[in-house]
Amino acid sequence: MEHIRMPKVENVRLVDRSSSRRIKVGTLYLTATHTIFVGKGSEDRCELWVLHSLVCNVVKHKASQSGYPLLIHCKNFQVMQFIISQESDCHNVYISLSRLSRPEKYEELYCFSFNPNVDKAEREHSWDFLDLKAEYSRMGLPNKLWHVTPINREYRVCDTYPADLFVPQSVTLPVIIGSSKFRSRGRFPTLSYYCKENHATICRSSQPLSGFSARCLEDEQMLQAIMKSNPGSRFMYVVDTRPKLNAMANRAAGKGYENEDNYCNIKFQFIGIENIHVMRNSQQKLIEVSALRSPSMGEFLMGLENSDWLRHIKSIMEAGIFISKAVAEEGVNVLVHCSDGWDRTAQVCSVASVLLDPYYRTLKGLMVLIEKDWVSFGHKFSHRCGHLDGEAKEVSPVIDQFLDCLWQLMEQFPCYFEYNEKFLINIHNHIYSCHYGNFICNSQKERKDLCIKEKTHSIWPHLWENKLDFMNPLFKPDQSQNQGLLRPRTAPYCFKYWRRLYNRFDRELHPRQSELDCLMTVKEETQQLEEDLALCEQKLAVLDKERAKTLYMQKGVLESKQALWSLPLDTSLANTPQDYIGGFIGGAPNLCLFGDKPKSSDADNSDQESGVADFSSHSSGEESLPSEDSVKDPDSDETGPNRA
Amino acid sequence: MEFAELIKTPRVDGVVLHRPFMPTVEGTLCLTGHHLILSSRQDNTEELWLLHANIDSIEKRFVGSLGTIIVKCKDLRVIQLDIPGMEECLNIASSIEALSTLDSVSLMYPFFYRPLFEVIEDGWQLFVPEEAFKDLESMTDEWRLSEVNKDFSVCPSYPSLLTVPKDIDDESLCKAASFRHGGRFPVLSYYHKKNGMVMMRAAQPLTGTNGRRCKEDEKLINATLCAGKRGYIIDTRTIAVAQQAKARGGGFEQEANYPQWRRIHKAIERSNVLQESLIKLVESCNDQSHSMDRWLSKLEASNWQSNVKEILTTACLAAQCIDREGASVLVHGTEGTDSTLQVTSLAQIILDPSCRTIRGFEALIEREWLQAGHPFQQRCAQSAYSNGKPRSEAPVFLLFLDCVWQILRQFPCSFQFNENFLIMLFEHTYASQFSTFLGNSVAERVKLLLSQKTVSLWSWVNRPQELERFLNPLYEPNNLVIWPSVAPQSLQLWEGVFLRWNRSTKCLDEAYQEMVHIIEYNKELQNKVNSLRRQLAQLETEDSPLQTP
């Protein structure tokens, strides 16, 4: 609380970014965990809750006539503009928020104060929702080829790896230790995915410390053992996901890549995914493009191209495809690494797994996959997401790219995923929100040291409870099971801009009627009908049998055909035109076509009336919004506080 | 028969057909007067029937004595025929070239086509102006149907019957016509029932450099304004282009002469620019090899999406003036047969729910495109693969369909038809067994005796068995005005047309089938439950008398 210089500011204006004429006046509150804006007046009554941990940066803009603008950019791509009338108030809010949004210690994060109305047992239970041991046994492990090594139980061999790791049966402890010493950060080759059908595996590690000529017998034995663990193949792939130039540069630092001459029967392959810094810059450019206000088509497309974002997504996808094909079609083991083996390696292994295994295309499966390939294998969430105030150079949208790849796949294979894009967006939000403990810290060891399981809650059961919202109505489970390997196309035009994520809060940019919502409503209704049908049949049977006189038919809600799916339409928005006038005469933001003649009579009045009318319809329409949108009611699971 | 002269080699055996995403077929190639046919003479393989009219251009290649013809179609498909024998290949190629570029309309396939179905509802009789006027009469009495153009002498590109303000006599119409490009004087395009505002369309006024004016023209459009109200003139050209038009005798309405009207200039490209845009777009869609950067910059350079955005924005603006500003609107560009029609027809889709039904949409095309004199035959003579210099070809109507598709994407439940309906219309504008899109105006169609000699597209489409494919399972009538987003983030490339032949649609078809299944199953259950409930209710009433003895 000591960071809050100004707990409350009145008469603050919230500017709608899509149209500067939509302004809400209200009060701004700063709490220990949230920025809250409460609109006043019954017409534009609204509440906006934003977690401090979601705030990416706060910017003061030049004073305008109406006051002092404060721009807040969030990690979930929400952008808010407040106008505060007093300069001192604005400055105080700015200073407070700048500090609040950059916590210095883990303990300051929201997940440590988030206290839903559940008891201790229930909280502990929430952490048992996912069980990686069960996941490995689903894959068919341990078996006679692979077993768990106890070597990292205390995180002594590799402090960024999980405690339980699968290695080939034949590998001895000295080999593991030797290999780990020859790998960056001790991240020795270990199993990520095992294909029951043909024994092929995806293994992961960090780069070898080969320099220009160093070699390590144990590491070579390790790879040999991995290759031999797959009885069907005579060689294995070693995939270095970095551009060749980067990998070669690393040699000068005593790191590098495997020399094919030293390792028996490996086929070495570079993939060329750029590093975290390139990706950070790329996303920054993408966000700038997505936030352009009424850009021309050319500006948008050129901006998209210049960001290079889709090129990077394509390269990650192609790496995943290469690996999934090696495993499924060639039946060959693949060892994947990059530099440290926690960014590109995590992306590529998990994309390949989704392509290979229909299980990861289910809700539970995706949770497990993220828990396994990302959380347990030490993807540095705290650094990459910038949870704490720290090195800006460590921040990078590595997991965003994984989610983006998934979305691209869902676009190409609409029937093969059990979850819908809302699920991905929700996960994205919670990775950054620090609302739950799952994505705090940089490794399993750190989480253990910080007693995350004892002090915070897990996101997964919460998402599971809301799974109805995240179901893809078009999912065909049987088909998906048979489908096995997904073979996405990778022509450039197959990769698209993910509007729902990057323009998540720009409601006016999305389709006014959602096919997804319609189908979900129909499916729900269908389920109700199935129950009704069973009930009717039962009653009829009873009536037929006994001709019972006492039975009273229950009047059903669904007696007459009524198209429920037409109900959730966002009609308020559908009925609100945008600024189509855009380029007309100096681009006046208001639709005041007679604007250059301010004194003219009724035409002007009617303009204003129409402006007011559609403003009010805009705000009242928000009542019917899904909780995903954080304007109005952010819903406790998103950005809202615990109201229990 | 003259076709025989053009066909030097009517059939060749052992021809191999390559099509994207389909297995190759080996069979016999036959050329007829209107079709290229490839048949394997096996029951289970699909035959290829291709209208010569659908062929945009061909390329020949030879490797030894094996010739290859690449056939590029107006529906954007590219197929390859491997033909053994150099002479056969050359003969086939020259025949295709000749047959696909026949000049005479009366040699077109529609004049030879005999339907294999019974015409239940004659499409030629479906959308007559008298019927549309009856609807208008039920709403307002301020308009009349004029026969001033009954012999097409006042305006050759207009139909014989036109809706004009009641107080304007035919003589004034003739004068106004002489003041408008091509005689296209302002006529009613749409009446907005909600507030009585109207949309009119015309061609540019012939003000020229010395600022000619025409009292009758001024009177004509002022007659559509309510007392004390102002209207908007939406000129689809930029002010610069409109200024230049003056030098060629055209121009725009001067404020001084039209004080009750406010002019807005937009920037919809002229048709020759649109054709270039289409060619570039299709070229980049077909280039499989290029990298992400090249794809995006070529897509951008084609300007296609910008054109979509500009047209849609202008239409939204017109609709906004009418619905939100409560003002009447006059739309024109230069000739009033291209961008004008894009704007007036799209504005109606936004404003009028009936245009979002199948019948309503057909009526819209009939009113705002066919009868309004969009020169289909000129515009659709060639498509994206034309080699020669474009004459008057332009994808004006295709852009309109693209815009409709964009709105459909944003309001997936508000249209009775689906994407397939739009694609089907695109195909039939370029090549068809039906004659609906033949000719450039009503006058030309009358002269060709189309309604007596040929079959209307609507006669075929509106049959229940055909219609089924075009129905949108999500449709729920929505009586609201629908305002689409025109932001670049919201507009997408119409893959169903431009990437249609470059992708396998298996997964998308599956998704569509699943969607249909979900909704049909729901309806089926609904019926079952309702009927069981009725049964229950009946049983109860039967039983109830016993209850109260």
Side-chain angles (χ1 to χ4, degrees):
Chain A
M1 290 302 264
E2 73 270 27
H3 308 304
I4 302 173
R5 291 182 168 202
M6 191 89 198
K8 178 178 170 186
V9 188
E10 298 203 47
N11 275 323
V12 171
R13 268 169 298 169
L14 173 64
V15 182
D16 189 320
R17 283 176 30 82
S18 65
S19 160
S20 46
R21 72 199 156 105
R22 292 187 196 137
I23 292 178
K24 290 179 182 130
V25 181
T27 308
L28 190 70
Y29 299 91
L30 291 183
T31 74
T33 54
H34 288 81
T35 303
I36 305 162
F37 175 83
V38 182
K40 68 177 173 196
S42 51
E43 281 263 301
D44 36 326
R45 170 110 194 132
C46 77
E47 275 181 34
L48 180 70
W49 294 68
V50 180
L51 263 175
H52 295 325
S53 37
L54 272 174
V55 172
C56 178
N57 67 49
V58 189
V59 188
K60 276 200 291 185
H61 274 205
K62 257 214 198 108
S64 67
Q65 275 187 336
S66 42
Y68 297 85
L70 194 68
L71 217 65
I72 302 177
H73 291 267
C74 296
K75 294 171 183 172
N76 59 4
F77 312 117
Q78 185 167 22
V79 183
M80 284 158 300
Q81 189 182 350
F82 293 110
I83 299 178
I84 299 172
S85 38
Q86 295 293 320
E87 185 174 14
S88 58
D89 289 350
C90 180
H91 185 69
N92 283 333
V93 171
Y94 169 76
I95 295 288
S96 313
L97 256 182
S98 300
R99 173 62 187 84
L100 288 166
S101 63
R102 280 193 218 103
E104 283 157 6
K105 300 191 298 281
Y106 278 121
E107 287 74 11
E108 289 177 43
L109 292 175
Y110 183 47
C111 57
F112 291 99
S113 57
F114 173 59
N115 185 19
N117 193 15
V118 294
D119 59 28
K120 184 161 169 275
E122 209 174 320
R123 194 198 58 230
E124 275 162 15
H125 189 66
S126 81
W127 285 105
D128 299 333
F129 180 74
L130 292 187
D131 176 7
L132 286 186
K133 207 171 264 175
E135 165 57 7
Y136 286 108
S137 81
R138 186 195 66 87
M139 290 183 204
L141 299 180
N143 62 9
K144 62 181 200 309
L145 299 167
W146 293 85
H147 71 152
V148 179
T149 171
I151 203 162
N152 203 36
R153 285 278 147 84
E154 308 294 325
Y155 305 106
R156 286 211 190 101
V157 176
C158 174
D159 60 359
T160 59
Y161 261 179
D164 292 335
L165 289 159
F166 277 89
V167 292
Q169 285 275 9
S170 60
V171 165
T172 59
L173 293 184
V175 168
I176 298 176
I177 289 170
S179 167
S180 82
K181 285 185 176 149
F182 190 63
R183 295 270 167 182
S184 277
R185 318 235 177 212
R187 293 171 70 94
F188 59 87
T190 177
L191 179 131
S192 165
Y193 179 75
Y194 174 77
C195 179
K196 234 183 328 213
E197 287 73 32
N198 61 8
H199 310 295
T201 58
I202 303 173
C203 293
R204 58 187 287 173
S205 70
S206 60
Q207 63 187 339
L209 304 175
S210 50
F212 289 101
S213 58
R215 51 190 291 190
C216 165
L217 200 60
E218 289 90 345
D219 195 60
E220 288 160 25
Q221 286 172 342
M222 183 71 156
L223 263 63
Q224 180 79 352
I226 288 172
M227 198 271 286
K228 286 201 166 147
S229 75
N230 180 354
S233 79
R234 270 172 292 162
F235 72 97
M236 71 183 280
Y237 286 108
V238 175
V239 172
D240 190 327
T241 57
R242 297 169 294 183
K244 188 172 183 186
L245 208 65
N246 300 18
M248 284 170 69
N250 263 301
R251 289 207 299 192
K255 299 164 189 172
Y257 52 92
E258 291 81 356
N259 183 337
E260 267 179 300
D261 298 338
N262 299 339
Y263 293 84
C264 297
N265 305 314
I266 67 163
K267 282 193 184 170
F268 188 84
Q269 180 86 32
F270 285 112
I271 295 269
I273 302 173
E274 301 289 350
N275 65 28
I276 58 166
H277 312 295
V278 175
M279 300 308 192
R280 179 180 56 246
N281 293 337
S282 168
Q283 198 193 40
Q284 191 49 46
K285 286 186 192 158
L286 181 78
I287 292 171
E288 280 162 23
V289 172
S290 72
L292 287 175
R293 277 174 64 175
S294 45
S296 73
M297 188 56 83
E299 282 169 330
F300 177 72
L301 288 175
M302 289 318 283
L304 190 59
E305 183 195 329
N306 290 334
S307 79
D308 264 343
W309 183 257
L310 293 177
R311 183 169 69 84
H312 297 314
I313 297 296
K314 179 166 143 67
S315 69
I316 296 164
M317 188 75 90
E318 280 166 340
I321 293 169
F322 176 85
I323 293 161
S324 64
K325 279 190 173 163
V327 168
E329 288 175 355
E330 295 182 69
V332 171
N333 286 3
V334 185
L335 171 66
V336 185
H337 69 71
C338 44
S339 298
D340 292 317
W342 50 46
D343 293 316
R344 286 168 274 204
T345 302
Q347 286 176 331
V348 167
C349 288
S350 48
V351 168
S353 300
V354 171
L355 295 174
L356 280 166
D357 194 334
Y359 177 64
Y360 300 124
R361 296 170 223 150
T362 65
L363 273 133
K364 188 85 179 273
L366 179 59
M367 298 180 188
V368 166
L369 184 66
I370 292 174
E371 193 66 27
K372 176 171 74 73
D373 278 357
W374 295 81
V375 178
S376 88
F377 271 105
H379 175 66
K380 304 201 292 174
F381 281 100
S382 277
H383 285 164
R384 297 293 176 258
C385 306
H387 288 335
L388 298 182
D389 189 26
E391 195 61 65
K393 283 209 152 60
E394 283 285 336
V395 175
S396 187
V398 179
I399 191 143
D400 294 19
Q401 292 182 313
F402 168 59
L403 295 174
D404 202 323
C405 285
L406 281 181
W407 179 79
Q408 305 287 350
L409 289 172
M410 284 160 60
E411 284 286 290
Q412 282 197 38
F413 303 99
C415 298
Y416 297 161
F417 288 80
E418 189 190 26
Y419 39 86
N420 59 35
E421 70 177 330
K422 287 181 191 171
F423 188 53
L424 304 184
I425 293 171
N426 238 278
I427 290 176
H428 180 271
N429 194 77
H430 282 298
I431 285 171
Y432 289 91
S433 73
C434 301
H435 196 148
Y436 294 87
N438 303 64
F439 310 110
I440 308 299
C441 301
N442 295 311
S443 68
Q444 201 176 67
K445 178 174 185 293
E446 279 185 33
R447 277 185 291 276
K448 208 162 252 177
D449 294 345
L450 211 60
C451 302
I452 288 285
K453 287 194 181 180
E454 286 73 37
K455 291 179 179 164
T456 73
H457 298 262
S458 167
I459 176 71
W460 304 126
H462 170 75
L463 290 178
W464 187 251
E465 276 162 29
N466 293 304
K467 66 178 171 192
L468 278 182
D469 294 340
F470 303 135
M471 289 292 212
N472 170 14
L474 297 175
F475 178 55
K476 291 162 84 173
D478 329 334
Q479 195 129 14
S480 177
Q481 292 299 327
N482 301 335
Q483 182 62 24
L485 183 65
L486 291 188
R487 294 163 208 274
R489 294 167 311 130
T490 56
Y493 49 70
C494 301
F495 294 87
K496 297 180 207 156
Y497 169 74
W498 190 3
R499 184 189 55 223
R500 284 268 184 210
L501 182 66
Y502 302 110
N503 292 109
R504 191 180 153 194
F505 293 91
D506 303 318
R507 277 195 322 144
E508 72 289 344
L509 295 184
H510 301 296
R512 310 303 214 256
Q513 297 174 322
S514 149
E515 216 169 274
L516 176 69
D517 290 342
C518 291
L519 287 173
M520 280 166 78
T521 317
V522 173
K523 274 210 144 174
E524 244 171 75
E525 192 195 286
T526 301
Q527 209 174 4
Q528 179 64 46
L529 282 171
E530 278 172 341
E531 284 165 26
D532 288 0
L533 188 68
L535 197 71
C536 284
E537 275 170 348
Q538 202 185 345
K539 279 183 185 170
L540 262 182
V542 173
L543 270 178
D544 274 350
K545 220 163 151 189
E546 303 175 14
R547 287 262 147 190
K549 298 152 201 165
T550 46
L551 260 183
Y552 200 78
M553 199 194 72
Q554 182 198 346
K555 201 93 178 136
V557 231
L558 299 162
E559 185 98 64
S560 64
K561 171 72 184 144
Q562 123 195 72
L564 278 182
W565 64 82
S566 61
L567 295 181
L569 305 185
D570 193 352
T571 48
S572 70
L573 195 59
N575 212 13
T576 308
Q578 296 186 316
D579 267 355
Y580 298 118
I581 197 76
F584 163 58
I585 312 181
N590 294 355
L591 182 81
C592 185
L593 297 176
F594 293 110
D596 52 345
K597 288 180 187 167
K599 271 173 227 147
S600 109
S601 56
D602 44 2
D604 274 355
N605 294 337
S606 73
D607 274 356
Q608 278 159 6
E609 263 163 38
S610 109
V612 171
D614 87 42
F615 175 50
S616 62
S617 78
H618 171 85
S619 50
S620 65
E622 274 159 6
E623 307 287 342
S624 59
L625 276 183
S627 61
E628 195 212 286
D629 193 312
S630 75
V631 181
K632 170 68 190 173
D633 183 344
D635 173 348
S636 54
D637 76 275
E638 279 272 309
T639 45
N642 162 37
R643 289 165 180 174
Chain B
M1 158 141 194
E2 36 222 302
F3 293 126
E5 294 161 23
L6 299 172
I7 303 170
K8 291 173 202 152
T9 305
R11 71 174 266 186
V12 188
D13 289 321
V15 173
V16 180
L17 165 70
H18 304 268
R19 285 176 290 187
F21 297 102
M22 289 171 109
T24 55
V25 182
E26 190 182 333
T28 305
L29 178 74
C30 297
L31 288 187
T32 72
H34 293 103
H35 284 97
L36 180 158
I37 304 160
L38 188 121
S39 165
S40 64
R41 304 191 182 248
Q42 272 155 6
D43 297 335
N44 49 358
T45 24
E46 209 197 323
E47 291 183 342
L48 173 78
W49 282 72
L50 190 67
L51 267 179
H52 295 315
N54 191 3
I55 296 173
D56 211 17
S57 67
I58 60 169
E59 276 168 29
K60 302 175 286 252
R61 270 189 234 141
F62 291 97
V63 179
S65 68
L66 180 77
T68 293
I69 300 178
I70 314 268
V71 180
K72 299 183 173 181
C73 304
K74 290 176 188 164
D75 61 14
L76 307 183
R77 170 174 35 163
V78 178
I79 60 174
Q80 182 185 330
L81 297 165
D82 295 341
I83 300 170
M86 175 122 45
E87 196 192 331
E88 282 83 354
C89 185
L90 283 170
N91 283 346
I92 294 284
S94 70
S95 300
I96 294 177
E97 267 173 346
L99 290 165
S100 62
T101 51
L102 291 176
D103 273 335
S104 168
V105 184
S106 57
L107 290 179
M108 302 297 259
Y109 187 50
F111 288 93
F112 299 82
Y113 169 73
R114 290 294 157 260
L116 293 172
F117 58 89
E118 193 196 343
V119 175
I120 302 161
E121 195 181 25
D122 186 0
W124 295 116
Q125 306 307 324
L126 266 186
F127 311 103
V128 287
E130 289 92 336
E131 288 297 317
F133 187 73
K134 264 184 209 156
D135 288 344
L136 180 69
E137 262 185 322
S138 68
M139 299 183 277
T140 168
D141 58 358
E142 285 164 24
W143 298 82
R144 69 182 183 95
L145 213 47
S146 166
E147 291 185 357
V148 68
N149 198 39
K150 65 174 183 292
D151 53 0
F152 308 109
S153 59
V154 176
C155 171
S157 63
Y158 268 169
S160 53
L161 290 174
L162 290 155
T163 310
V164 296
K166 202 174 192 173
D167 301 335
I168 305 297
D169 58 20
D170 282 357
E171 201 182 326
S172 305
L173 293 178
C174 290
K175 285 191 176 142
S178 65
F179 181 63
R180 294 273 172 179
H181 190 119
R184 294 175 71 90
F185 57 88
V187 296
L188 181 79
S189 161
Y190 170 66
Y191 179 86
H192 196 42
K193 196 176 170 184
K194 191 170 126 190
N195 59 9
M197 293 300 128
V198 297
M199 179 161 57
M200 288 177 302
R201 51 177 158 75
Q204 65 177 347
L206 302 173
T207 56
T209 39
N210 48 12
R212 249 182 82 201
R213 64 186 289 190
C214 170
K215 290 277 183 203
E216 286 78 9
D217 186 76
E218 292 159 24
K219 207 177 127 199
L220 167 53
I221 71 167
N222 286 339
T224 65
L225 292 177
C226 306
K229 278 270 189 185
R230 295 214 245 184
Y232 294 95
I233 294 173
I234 297 180
D235 191 326
T236 62
R237 307 162 295 179
T238 60
I239 179 78
V241 173
Q243 288 281 10
Q244 285 162 18
K246 282 183 178 176
R248 288 187 300 274
F252 51 85
E253 295 81 357
Q254 299 292 343
E255 284 88 349
N257 303 338
Y258 298 83
Q260 285 166 281
W261 294 82
R262 170 86 183 161
R263 214 178 57 246
I264 304 175
H265 287 275
K266 299 297 283 184
I268 302 182
E269 294 285 3
R270 284 188 57 88
S271 51
N272 54 336
V273 180
L274 300 179
Q275 179 68 7
E276 214 169 289
S277 171
L278 173 69
I279 291 172
K280 280 189 187 161
L281 173 72
V282 171
E283 206 178 83
S284 49
C285 287
N286 285 348
D287 183 355
Q288 305 268 355
S289 64
H290 54 56
S291 66
M292 186 60 79
D293 302 8
R294 271 185 63 195
W295 157 244
L296 286 172
S297 61
K298 284 181 100 174
L299 176 65
E300 197 268 325
S302 80
N303 255 327
W304 183 265
Q305 295 294 92
S306 304
N307 290 321
V308 169
K309 179 171 153 57
E310 196 56 43
I311 293 165
L312 211 46
T313 307
T314 310
C316 287
L317 176 66
Q320 197 172 7
C321 289
I322 293 169
D323 188 67
R324 291 291 158 135
E325 300 292 304
S328 287
V329 171
L330 167 67
V331 183
H332 70 73
T334 304
E335 291 99 343
T337 54
D338 296 296
S339 59
T340 305
L341 306 182
Q342 288 172 330
V343 172
T344 56
S345 53
L346 285 167
Q348 292 180 54
I349 285 171
I350 294 165
L351 293 170
D352 184 359
S354 71
C355 292
R356 301 171 216 144
T357 64
I358 289 202
R359 281 295 166 108
F361 190 66
E362 290 171 358
L364 181 78
I365 290 173
E366 190 71 43
R367 260 193 343 261
E368 291 298 307
W369 291 88
L370 291 161
Q371 292 171 12
H374 174 66
F376 274 102
Q377 195 162 321
Q378 289 177 5
R379 296 287 179 256
C380 301
Q382 296 259 255
S383 161
Y385 301 121
S386 59
N387 296 321
K389 218 173 175 280
R391 285 164 300 173
S392 37
E393 295 82 9
V396 176
F397 188 70
L398 175 57
L399 269 162
F400 158 72
L401 294 176
D402 195 329
C403 292
V404 176
W405 180 78
Q406 304 286 351
I407 308 176
L408 171 63
R409 292 277 308 173
Q410 296 187 25
F411 294 90
C413 308
S414 299
F415 288 80
Q416 193 188 16
F417 49 87
N418 59 20
E419 179 181 3
N420 293 335
F421 190 63
L422 300 174
I423 297 174
M424 179 277 294
L425 287 170
F426 156 63
E427 290 175 336
H428 282 275
T429 51
Y430 280 92
S432 177
Q433 66 270 46
F434 306 107
S435 61
T436 296
F437 297 108
L438 286 188
N440 295 305
S441 62
V442 174
E444 285 190 31
R445 282 180 212 112
V446 168
K447 214 166 146 196
L448 286 165
L449 301 175
L450 292 186
S451 61
Q452 287 101 299
K453 291 185 170 173
T454 65
V455 184
S456 158
L457 174 65
W458 314 131
S459 302
W460 171 72
V461 169
N462 289 334
R463 302 164 73 238
Q465 49 274 63
E466 299 300 333
L467 222 45
E468 208 176 332
R469 260 172 334 125
F470 302 129
L471 289 173
N472 174 9
L474 292 172
Y475 177 57
E476 272 302 317
N478 167 8
N479 278 322
L480 296 171
V481 175
I482 53 176
W483 300 107
S485 163
V486 296
Q489 290 99 321
S490 312
L491 301 177
Q492 288 175 301
L493 177 69
W494 190 7
E495 295 182 22
V497 165
F498 299 111
L499 299 176
R500 182 178 177 191
W501 311 102
N502 299 335
R503 57 176 192 172
S504 151
T505 53
K506 188 177 149 272
C507 291
L508 299 177
D509 292 345
E510 220 172 78
Y512 185 80
Q513 287 312 321
E514 185 61 24
M515 183 169 86
V516 171
H517 168 76
I518 288 170
I519 287 161
E520 275 176 1
Y521 179 57
N522 175 280
K523 285 184 180 155
E524 190 186 306
L525 277 182
Q526 192 84 58
N527 292 338
K528 265 192 199 160
V529 169
N530 285 346
S531 96
L532 281 185
R533 284 200 171 128
R534 271 195 300 277
Q535 234 174 304
L536 271 172
Q538 212 170 4
L539 282 176
E540 265 179 4
T541 45
E542 274 171 21
D543 286 346
S544 51
L546 303 173
Q547 226 172 354
T548 48

